[in-house]
Amino acid sequence: MLLAVLLPLLCHLGAAAAGKLLVIPMEGSHWLSMKEVLAELSARGHEIVVVAPDCRILIDSSETYEMKTYPVPFNKEEMEKHMHSLGESCFSEEPFLTRFVNIWVHSRKSTAMFEAFCSSLLYNKEMMKYIEESKFDAIFTDPLTPCGQIVALHFSIPSVFFLRGIPCGIDVQAAQSPDPLSYVPRILSLYTDHMTFPQRVRNFLLATAEYLTCSIIFSPFESLASDFLQKPMTITHLLSHGSIWLKRIDFVFEYPMPVMPNMVFIGGINCGQKKPLSQVNVLHRPVTMKELLSHGSIWLKRMDFVFEYPMPATPNIVFSGGRNCEKKKPLSQVSDFLYEIW
């Protein structure tokens, strides 16, 4: 399903023609899912070039793509030490306030490190000249570190984002999706889309705190983008130019939210191996079809009581009759319609 969505977007020369793809990935676990996609794209004939810093940890070379590296002011050992320290802070059993401060300090250091990587790429004349002369059809990148999008804007290349999510709902805001705080809970609130008034107030306050926090964390990238592109840039404005958002989530574990047409959900791409349903006993107990379906939250039924007989319905059954009709006729033509069906 992912390839059916991604390939037409990256191939501008027709369904049978191969495209030229520039990949600017993010180091760490984000790369593991992206690498699987690149292998499939290469098998379909696309020419792929991956640009990464020379101190990379997980980003490795492969026969399916060409690897190009550029020097950065950090070595691999320093980066590995920082990543391990960040992981220990996230999963430590220290008091919440201590853990929060440690994560904050490590996040600022991570931002400074990735900003230095990005600056090294943007001001590497040899690498930027290569990108300009290569005439890439699209840029495939993880927007959590928006270096790929800065390159895309500089050379006017369409960008495809591949992500799990961005803190503070920046991805939702950048894509201009509706994001009402009365119904869409913040990620750390533990609320659902059904909130009481006090919960909505706390959700609003949490959103304000998120905005202030992310403004500080992403400010180095905003300054870098503004200086390089020679115009004021915020992280939201920068990412708003993304062409397609491929989000590695779905509504099985995430709360439902409004989305824009260019946001495509590809939940499950993180799973390297998929087991057949016959080999997975998820509930570990016998379940009938009736019991399984009884846990459905909402039933949208494409019918109404015009042609169907009236029947009792519970509050979670919503009748949406008329959805099957591609064209709606005005009431003045109802006599013709009745003549046709009788």
Side-chain angles (χ1 to χ4, degrees):
M1 179 178 178
L2 170 63
L3 294 178
V5 174
L6 181 58
L7 291 178
L9 302 175
L10 302 181
C11 183
H12 295 271
L13 300 180
K20 198 170 185 180
L21 182 66
L22 173 64
V23 181
I24 302 181
M26 179 179 175
E27 182 59 85
S29 60
H30 297 239
W31 163 252
L32 301 179
S33 299
M34 182 176 283
K35 182 180 179 181
E36 296 295 327
V37 177
L38 297 183
E40 293 294 338
L41 290 173
S42 176
R44 300 297 181 94
H46 296 277
E47 181 181 349
I48 302 173
V49 177
V50 177
V51 173
D54 56 5
C55 69
R56 63 194 186 278
I57 300 176
L58 295 180
I59 302 176
D60 53 354
S61 56
S62 172
E63 296 179 353
T64 60
Y65 50 80
E66 180 183 357
M67 171 71 74
K68 287 190 172 293
T69 61
Y70 57 91
V72 294
F74 296 96
N75 56 44
K76 183 176 181 180
E77 289 72 22
E78 289 176 309
M79 192 171 181
E80 287 180 335
K81 181 179 179 181
H82 171 68
M83 291 298 181
H84 287 303
S85 179
L86 176 60
E88 291 175 357
S89 298
C90 293
F91 296 101
S92 70
E93 298 181 357
E94 296 178 323
F96 172 79
L97 186 58
T98 303
R99 187 155 37 94
F100 177 82
V101 172
N102 290 336
I103 293 175
W104 168 263
V105 172
H106 283 90
S107 297
R108 290 295 303 273
K109 186 174 181 180
S110 297
T111 301
M113 181 176 292
F114 285 116
E115 187 270 340
F117 291 169
C118 185
S119 180
S120 299
L121 171 61
L122 297 177
Y123 291 100
N124 186 313
K125 295 182 179 180
E126 182 179 351
M127 185 65 71
M128 296 300 284
K129 182 180 179 182
Y130 165 78
I131 295 175
E132 181 179 15
E133 294 177 348
S134 297
K135 304 297 180 181
F136 289 100
D137 296 309
I139 289 182
F140 192 39
T141 185
D142 190 321
L144 187 59
T145 53
C147 193
Q149 181 58 18
I150 298 176
V151 175
L153 280 181
H154 181 65
F155 293 115
S156 298
I157 304 174
S159 55
V160 178
F161 294 151
F162 185 77
L163 70 158
R164 172 64 176 79
I166 304 179
C168 312
I170 293 176
D171 51 338
V172 177
Q173 299 166 21
Q176 300 183 19
S177 294
D179 191 29
L181 295 178
S182 295
Y183 300 97
V184 180
R186 300 300 92 180
I187 190 171
L188 297 178
S189 68
L190 302 181
Y191 297 147
T192 68
D193 55 336
H194 296 283
M195 291 179 278
T196 64
F197 179 74
Q199 288 175 336
R200 292 178 182 180
V201 173
R202 288 193 290 269
N203 196 55
F204 172 79
L205 296 176
L206 184 58
T208 303
E210 282 185 350
Y211 173 79
L212 296 175
T213 301
C214 285
S215 296
I216 297 174
I217 291 179
F218 286 102
S219 60
F221 284 108
E222 294 178 343
S223 299
L224 177 61
S226 299
D227 293 341
F228 185 77
L229 299 175
Q230 296 297 306
K231 58 181 177 180
M233 275 286 173
T234 64
I235 187 68
T236 304
H237 184 205
L238 183 65
L239 298 183
S240 67
H241 294 274
S243 300
I244 299 294
W245 296 72
L246 297 178
K247 305 194 72 173
R248 302 192 306 274
I249 66 173
D250 52 39
F251 291 153
V252 175
F253 294 103
E254 305 290 331
Y255 54 83
M257 67 187 80
V259 296
M260 299 301 284
N262 65 335
M263 301 179 79
V264 182
F265 291 92
I266 53 173
I269 189 64
N270 300 310
C271 305
Q273 296 180 350
K274 301 178 179 64
K275 293 183 178 180
L277 290 177
S278 60
Q279 300 180 16
V280 182
N281 186 7
V282 178
L283 301 179
H284 302 288
R285 61 183 178 85
V287 178
T288 65
M289 180 62 70
K290 183 183 294 185
E291 180 187 358
L292 184 64
L293 297 181
S294 68
H295 294 277
S297 301
I298 301 292
W299 295 73
L300 296 178
K301 306 196 71 173
R302 300 192 308 274
M303 55 175 279
D304 52 37
F305 292 152
V306 175
F307 293 100
E308 304 290 334
Y309 55 86
M311 66 184 74
T314 55
N316 66 334
I317 295 180
V318 181
F319 293 94
S320 56
R323 297 292 299 175
N324 301 314
C325 305
E326 295 183 0
K327 297 182 179 179
K328 300 179 177 63
K329 296 184 178 181
L331 291 176
S332 60
Q333 300 179 14
V334 69
S335 60
D336 296 335
F337 172 68
L338 292 175
Y339 176 81
E340 291 173 5
I341 64 174
W342 271 295

